[in-house]
Amino acid sequence: MKLHFLGTGAGIPSRQRNVSSLALKLLDELNEIWLFDCGEATQHQILETTIRPRKITKIFITHLHGDHIFGLPGLLSSRSFQGGEDCLEVYGPKGIKDFIKISLKYSKSKLAYSLKITELVDRGGELIFDNGWKVNYLPLEHGILSFGYRVEEPDLPGQLLVEELKKFEIPNGPIYGQLKRGERVQLEDGRWIDGQNFLAPDRPGRIVTILGDTRYCQNSKVLARKANALVHEATHEAAEEKMARAYYHSTSHQAAQVAKDSQVEALYLNHISARYLGKALKQLEKEACSIFPNSHLVNDFDEYKIPLN
Ligand code: ZN
């Protein structure tokens, strides 16, 4: 499980940063990639990575501001030419369906795969997928409806206690696979062995919270509670709290405060204004670290692994 930042800038593209997009790579877990937001030229950013668009199976849109969605029609169309035949699901606020359908209709774009667009309920809710993965979402405070998403991996079965099995002189072989699945197995010597007795406790699945643009607000903390990773915007430096509030954005301090109060493991700051370069950028990260030490100000193409606990 990895976070791969494709665009980390605020509002408009700059030489240093493209507009918003973030890939949650679930290649080992599901052989899928989930995309969060798709600002203009996200497909160009993807060309600089090893990401294959056909692996993108879900796209979550936080809100409908242009710097978060103008890349969608292009990416959706190109995916057709890149061998993308598997169904693609898009989730987002009301209006996302019209935006996509109309863009594709008037540009006479035909997709080679089926596209399922789901408009989410304004007050928030929960998406539960067949494979046990869950995504909770809640509205934040951004002037227009802006969602935060909390992705929850299902708990993972505990590992097989091989050393214990050896103590009982249970021979290695295909039987280990059955025991690992928690099955009861009879050995050649007639003994019955219950796999359940040789499994370590379940390992908790990981939680990743990715927030759309927002002011400092309570729902951010609800979504981020004890997450392994929190992605939070930091459009303003700490001294600009008033301005952040007026423009429905957050400061470095506020993002860090959310991380601290929610007891997350790591904070990733994105949606960085092009005004901040060099020293000012370092300062922004420092401000966050003064409240929540494990804060990282991210750049385009940064990749972070999210380890299991
Ligand atoms: Zn916005």
Side-chain angles (χ1 to χ4, degrees):
M1 182 186 283
K2 281 180 182 167
L3 284 170
H4 197 160
F5 290 87
L6 299 172
T8 59
I12 55 169
S14 68
R15 279 195 216 193
Q16 285 75 26
R17 296 173 189 278
N18 196 40
V19 282
S20 293
S21 188
L22 161 59
L24 176 62
K25 289 171 148 180
L26 304 171
L27 294 169
D28 291 339
E29 295 79 8
L30 300 173
N31 197 22
E32 292 180 24
I33 293 172
W34 295 3
L35 202 66
F36 289 80
D37 286 336
C38 188
E40 186 180 350
T42 292
Q43 59 169 326
H44 299 66
Q45 297 290 90
I46 287 175
L47 290 175
E48 307 285 327
T49 71
T50 55
I51 293 173
R52 280 175 292 178
R54 65 186 169 83
K55 293 275 183 196
I56 300 171
T57 55
K58 296 185 191 342
I59 301 178
F60 297 87
I61 297 296
T62 60
H63 66 296
L64 300 185
H65 279 154
D67 57 321
H68 295 254
I69 62 167
F70 284 165
L72 258 182
L75 177 68
L76 295 180
S77 306
S78 301
R79 187 177 182 271
S80 267
F81 296 105
Q82 290 155 330
E85 287 169 3
D86 298 338
C87 173
L88 174 66
E89 296 165 14
V90 179
Y91 299 87
K94 231 174 255 133
I96 191 68
K97 199 177 247 176
D98 272 357
F99 173 75
I100 293 172
K101 293 267 170 193
I102 292 169
S103 309
L104 297 179
K105 181 181 165 193
Y106 286 101
S107 58
K108 300 247 184 289
S109 307
K110 291 258 183 302
L111 304 183
Y113 55 89
S114 76
L115 180 66
K116 192 178 146 213
I117 306 168
T118 305
E119 294 190 333
L120 301 172
V121 188
D122 290 12
R123 65 171 186 281
E126 185 176 49
L127 303 164
I128 301 173
F129 301 109
D130 292 344
N131 50 25
W133 287 67
K134 280 195 289 193
V135 176
N136 278 285
Y137 61 97
L138 285 172
L140 306 170
E141 285 185 33
H142 190 50
I144 67 166
L145 183 59
S146 177
F147 288 124
Y149 294 102
R150 175 186 171 93
V151 179
E152 291 186 22
E153 178 184 35
D155 287 347
L156 298 133
Q159 280 166 325
L160 192 63
L161 302 169
V162 175
E163 289 308 312
E164 289 298 307
L165 286 171
K166 281 188 187 152
K167 276 189 213 160
F168 285 83
E169 288 170 9
I170 298 165
N172 200 341
I175 199 177
Y176 273 41
Q178 290 168 277
L179 293 171
K180 195 166 187 239
R181 290 192 293 272
E183 293 170 16
R184 263 188 103 230
V185 182
Q186 189 169 26
L187 302 180
E188 275 178 15
D189 62 17
R191 283 183 294 163
W192 280 94
I193 305 290
D194 189 342
Q196 295 290 351
N197 298 332
F198 293 93
L199 291 176
D202 281 1
R203 294 202 284 176
R206 286 158 284 192
I207 299 168
V208 179
T209 299
I210 298 167
L211 303 181
D213 294 4
T214 187
R215 271 177 181 169
Y216 181 70
C217 72
Q218 277 308 310
N219 276 354
S220 300
K221 295 184 189 177
V222 175
L223 289 167
R225 177 117 197 94
K226 296 204 164 163
N228 297 70
L230 167 65
V231 180
H232 197 303
E233 67 134 286
T235 314
H236 295 271
E237 61 194 284
E240 293 184 344
E241 205 170 305
K242 260 195 183 149
M243 208 195 291
R245 188 171 168 77
Y247 290 100
Y248 293 93
H249 283 296
S250 297
T251 67
S252 53
H253 272 178
Q254 290 172 327
Q257 194 62 49
V258 171
K260 186 182 176 190
D261 292 349
S262 315
Q263 298 173 273
V264 306
E265 272 168 27
L267 170 66
Y268 303 97
L269 301 167
N270 70 352
H271 207 264
I272 307 301
S273 163
R275 295 181 296 152
Y276 301 116
L277 292 165
K279 264 191 182 164
L281 215 51
K282 282 261 174 308
Q283 179 59 23
L284 211 70
E285 187 174 60
K286 254 195 194 162
E287 289 173 356
C289 287
S290 71
I291 292 176
F292 184 77
N294 198 12
S295 300
H296 309 265
L297 192 142
V298 298
N299 295 307
D300 286 15
F301 305 119
D302 281 355
E303 224 180 327
Y304 291 91
K305 201 172 169 187
I306 304 169
L308 271 166
N309 283 340

